Amino acid sequence: MDSEMRDEPVNAPDRCGWCGTVIPPGTGVHGIASDSSVTHDGDAEHDGQRYLTSCGYEHLVALREHYRRRPFLDEELWAGKIARAFERHDVRTVEDLEGATGLSRDQIQRCVAWLETQLYRLR
């Protein structure tokens, strides 16, 4: 770990998710979009929901449209849940994985098959 890095959060300014402009404090426009690539550290109930910040309403609309066009894939969301489970729990069996993720065995198997197709596509 770099000796300059600290464990406390950095108070970086908000930037527009669409254009990257720095947003002055208190002026950002916020929303939520469905996104299967998102899992949350603090609350699994919010998995699949991307929090959006923009510099104005028009850019929020553009961000929402961007994510609306992106397919929501259950298997992608489940992959994130499985990765989080392996990071946080001592997972040794499928039963452990089911308990740590809340996924069924069928969902886990579908996720593994999806991941294998993703790896195949990268070759």
Side-chain angles (χ1 to χ4, degrees):
M1 178 184 251
D2 188 334
S3 62
E4 297 295 317
M5 294 180 71
R6 297 197 169 104
D7 289 335
E8 65 246 18
V10 176
N11 291 327
D14 282 340
R15 290 190 172 271
C16 178
W18 187 252
C19 70
T21 299
V22 172
I23 301 170
T27 64
V29 179
H30 306 281
I32 297 174
S34 294
D35 183 354
S36 57
S37 72
V38 176
T39 54
H40 290 274
D41 284 337
D43 188 355
E45 293 295 319
H46 291 104
D47 289 348
Q49 298 175 4
R50 179 173 296 278
Y51 298 104
L52 307 173
T53 299
S54 65
C55 61
Y57 182 72
E58 291 166 0
H59 283 189
L60 181 62
V61 170
L63 281 167
R64 283 186 174 151
E65 180 63 17
H66 169 77
Y67 287 105
R68 187 189 68 75
R69 290 181 181 188
R70 186 184 188 281
F72 190 98
L73 304 172
D74 290 331
E75 292 81 1
E76 181 179 38
L77 181 63
W78 301 339
K81 289 178 177 284
I82 290 170
R84 183 177 55 210
F86 278 114
E87 289 173 2
R88 294 184 175 178
H89 304 283
D90 184 23
V91 176
R92 297 178 186 264
T93 66
V94 174
E95 290 79 13
D96 292 341
L97 191 56
E98 289 172 324
T101 61
L103 298 174
S104 69
R105 189 170 300 228
D106 180 60
Q107 289 170 319
I108 293 167
Q109 290 172 341
R110 285 177 47 196
C111 177
V112 169
W114 179 79
L115 287 168
E116 288 173 348
T117 63
Q118 299 311 300
L119 290 172
Y120 178 77
R121 291 175 56 198
L122 293 174
R123 292 182 192 176

